[in-house]
Amino acid sequence: MHAIDLDGLFREAQHAAGFAYAPYSRFRVGAALLAEDGTVYTGCNVENRSFGLTLCAERSALVQGVSKGSCSFIAIAIAALDSMKPVGPCGACRQVLSEFMSSEALVRFGGSGPDRVDTTIGTLYPYDSLHDQFSRV
Ligand code: THU
Protein backbone atom coordinates (compact mmCIF):
# COMPACT_ATOMS: atom_id res chain seq x y z
CA MET A 1 0.00 0.00 0.00
CA HIS A 2 1.14 3.53 -0.75
CA ALA A 3 2.01 5.86 2.11
CA ILE A 4 -0.90 8.06 3.05
CA ASP A 5 -0.46 11.63 1.85
CA LEU A 6 -1.61 13.51 4.94
CA ASP A 7 -0.32 16.82 3.55
CA GLY A 8 -2.50 16.44 0.47
CA LEU A 9 -5.46 15.32 2.57
CA PHE A 10 -5.04 18.35 4.83
CA ARG A 11 -5.03 20.65 1.80
CA GLU A 12 -8.33 19.12 0.71
CA ALA A 13 -9.72 19.75 4.18
CA GLN A 14 -8.60 23.39 3.99
CA HIS A 15 -10.33 23.76 0.65
CA ALA A 16 -13.53 22.16 1.98
CA ALA A 17 -13.54 24.57 4.93
CA GLY A 18 -14.11 27.36 2.42
CA PHE A 19 -17.62 25.97 1.89
CA ALA A 20 -18.53 26.05 5.59
CA TYR A 21 -21.95 27.43 6.46
CA ALA A 22 -21.05 28.98 9.79
CA PRO A 23 -22.88 32.32 10.18
CA TYR A 24 -23.39 31.80 13.92
CA SER A 25 -19.94 30.80 15.10
CA ARG A 26 -17.92 32.30 12.21
CA PHE A 27 -15.73 29.24 12.75
CA ARG A 28 -15.08 27.41 9.47
CA VAL A 29 -13.98 23.79 9.53
CA GLY A 30 -13.28 21.36 6.70
CA ALA A 31 -12.62 17.63 6.73
CA ALA A 32 -11.20 15.25 4.13
CA LEU A 33 -11.79 11.57 4.65
CA LEU A 34 -9.77 8.92 2.82
CA ALA A 35 -11.60 5.69 1.97
CA GLU A 36 -9.84 2.33 1.73
CA ASP A 37 -10.07 2.44 -2.08
CA GLY A 38 -8.28 5.81 -2.24
CA THR A 39 -11.36 7.98 -2.76
CA VAL A 40 -11.42 11.22 -0.78
CA TYR A 41 -14.69 12.61 0.56
CA THR A 42 -14.85 16.12 1.91
CA GLY A 43 -17.21 17.97 4.22
CA CYS A 44 -17.64 21.25 6.04
CA ASN A 45 -19.58 22.34 9.10
CA VAL A 46 -23.20 23.18 8.39
CA GLU A 47 -24.77 25.26 11.12
CA ASN A 48 -28.42 25.94 11.87
CA ARG A 49 -30.35 28.65 13.69
CA SER A 50 -31.39 25.84 16.02
CA PHE A 51 -27.83 25.59 17.23
CA GLY A 52 -27.96 21.97 18.39
CA LEU A 53 -28.65 20.82 14.83
CA THR A 54 -25.23 21.94 13.64
CA LEU A 55 -23.34 19.28 11.73
CA CYS A 56 -19.58 19.20 12.16
CA ALA A 57 -17.24 18.96 9.18
CA GLU A 58 -16.12 15.45 10.16
CA ARG A 59 -19.62 13.98 10.20
CA SER A 60 -20.46 15.92 7.05
CA ALA A 61 -17.55 14.20 5.23
CA LEU A 62 -18.51 10.86 6.71
CA VAL A 63 -22.09 10.99 5.46
CA GLN A 64 -20.80 11.96 2.01
CA GLY A 65 -18.64 8.85 1.93
CA VAL A 66 -21.15 6.43 3.36
CA SER A 67 -23.84 7.80 1.04
CA LYS A 68 -21.59 7.05 -1.94
CA GLY A 69 -21.07 3.46 -0.85
CA SER A 70 -17.87 3.58 1.21
CA CYS A 71 -17.97 2.31 4.74
CA SER A 72 -14.33 1.98 5.71
CA PHE A 73 -11.96 4.91 5.97
CA ILE A 74 -8.27 4.93 6.75
CA ALA A 75 -7.47 8.57 7.44
CA ILE A 76 -9.06 11.95 8.07
CA ALA A 77 -7.67 15.46 7.99
CA ILE A 78 -9.44 18.34 9.72
CA ALA A 79 -8.70 22.01 9.07
CA ALA A 80 -10.01 24.85 11.24
CA LEU A 81 -9.52 28.04 9.23
CA ASP A 82 -10.38 30.46 12.01
CA SER A 83 -8.11 29.10 14.68
CA MET A 84 -4.35 29.52 14.78
CA LYS A 85 -4.03 26.34 16.83
CA PRO A 86 -5.14 22.83 15.83
CA VAL A 87 -8.71 21.92 16.76
CA GLY A 88 -9.50 18.26 17.41
CA PRO A 89 -12.82 16.55 16.65
CA CYS A 90 -15.60 16.86 19.22
CA GLY A 91 -16.70 13.89 21.29
CA ALA A 92 -19.71 13.14 19.10
CA CYS A 93 -17.52 13.04 15.97
CA ARG A 94 -14.99 10.75 17.67
CA GLN A 95 -17.79 8.31 18.41
CA VAL A 96 -19.28 8.49 14.91
CA LEU A 97 -15.91 8.26 13.13
CA SER A 98 -15.02 5.20 15.20
CA GLU A 99 -17.99 3.38 13.67
CA PHE A 100 -16.27 3.48 10.26
CA MET A 101 -12.57 3.73 11.09
CA SER A 102 -10.26 1.29 12.84
CA SER A 103 -8.35 2.36 15.91
CA GLU A 104 -5.18 2.52 13.76
CA ALA A 105 -6.73 4.97 11.27
CA LEU A 106 -4.80 8.24 11.01
CA VAL A 107 -6.09 11.63 12.08
CA ARG A 108 -4.38 14.91 11.29
CA PHE A 109 -5.77 18.21 12.54
CA GLY A 110 -4.56 21.75 12.29
CA GLY A 111 -5.55 25.39 12.30
CA SER A 112 -4.34 28.25 10.17
CA GLY A 113 -0.99 28.33 11.97
CA PRO A 114 1.87 25.92 11.32
CA ASP A 115 1.11 23.37 14.06
CA ARG A 116 -0.37 20.00 13.12
CA VAL A 117 -1.41 17.13 15.36
CA ASP A 118 -1.01 13.61 13.95
CA THR A 119 -2.76 10.90 15.93
CA THR A 120 -5.09 7.92 15.56
CA ILE A 121 -8.74 7.18 16.14
CA GLY A 122 -7.75 4.78 18.93
CA THR A 123 -5.89 7.53 20.76
CA LEU A 124 -8.77 9.97 20.40
CA TYR A 125 -11.40 7.36 21.25
CA PRO A 126 -9.86 4.60 23.36
CA TYR A 127 -11.50 1.52 24.88
CA ASP A 128 -14.01 1.34 22.04
CA SER A 129 -15.57 -2.07 22.54
CA LEU A 130 -17.37 -1.92 19.19
CA HIS A 131 -14.11 -2.60 17.36
CA ASP A 132 -13.50 -5.74 19.37
CA GLN A 133 -16.98 -7.20 19.10
CA PHE A 134 -18.39 -6.43 15.67
CA SER A 135 -17.25 -6.36 12.08
CA ARG A 136 -18.75 -3.75 9.82
CA VAL A 137 -20.91 -4.60 6.84
N1 THU B 1 -16.71 22.22 14.41
C1 THU B 1 -16.46 21.27 13.46
O1 THU B 1 -17.08 21.25 12.40
N2 THU B 1 -15.50 20.36 13.72
C2 THU B 1 -14.67 20.37 14.79
O2 THU B 1 -13.81 19.53 14.92
C3 THU B 1 -14.83 21.41 15.81
C4 THU B 1 -16.06 22.24 15.70
C5 THU B 1 -17.71 23.25 14.11
C6 THU B 1 -19.03 23.13 14.80
C7 THU B 1 -19.50 24.58 14.78
O3 THU B 1 -20.14 24.83 13.55
C8 THU B 1 -18.25 25.39 14.85
O4 THU B 1 -17.19 24.51 14.46
C9 THU B 1 -17.95 25.97 16.22
O5 THU B 1 -17.89 25.01 17.19
Side-chain angles (χ1 to χ4, degrees):
M1 213 211 330
H2 296 294
I4 292 174
D5 176 16
L6 285 177
D7 291 339
L9 203 61
F10 190 78
R11 278 193 294 275
E12 297 211 43
Q14 287 175 309
H15 184 255
F19 297 115
Y21 177 75
Y24 305 104
S25 70
R26 318 295 289 178
F27 195 84
R28 296 164 295 166
V29 185
L33 187 62
L34 178 64
E36 246 171 15
D37 70 357
T39 309
V40 174
Y41 299 95
T42 59
C44 60
N45 53 330
V46 181
E47 297 188 344
N48 192 268
R49 62 189 180 279
S50 177
F51 294 165
L53 298 181
T54 289
L55 186 63
C56 293
E58 295 89 327
R59 277 175 289 150
S60 167
L62 191 77
V63 296
Q64 293 276 347
V66 175
S67 301
K68 296 281 187 185
S70 291
C71 70
S72 185
F73 305 94
I74 56 177
I76 186 168
I78 305 147
L81 292 190
D82 302 303
S83 166
M84 280 298 285
K85 294 283 175 198
V87 175
C90 76
C93 285
R94 294 178 195 207
Q95 161 77 25
V96 174
L97 290 171
S98 81
E99 185 86 18
F100 298 98
M101 301 178 85
S102 78
S103 50
E104 294 77 36
L106 301 176
V107 182
R108 168 170 291 186
F109 52 93
S112 57
D115 299 348
R116 303 284 177 260
V117 174
D118 287 344
T119 184
T120 63
I121 290 289
T123 303
L124 292 175
Y125 198 67
Y127 304 111
D128 182 6
S129 57
L130 179 68
H131 286 120
D132 300 334
Q133 293 173 14
F134 298 101
S135 59
R136 290 176 291 274
V137 291

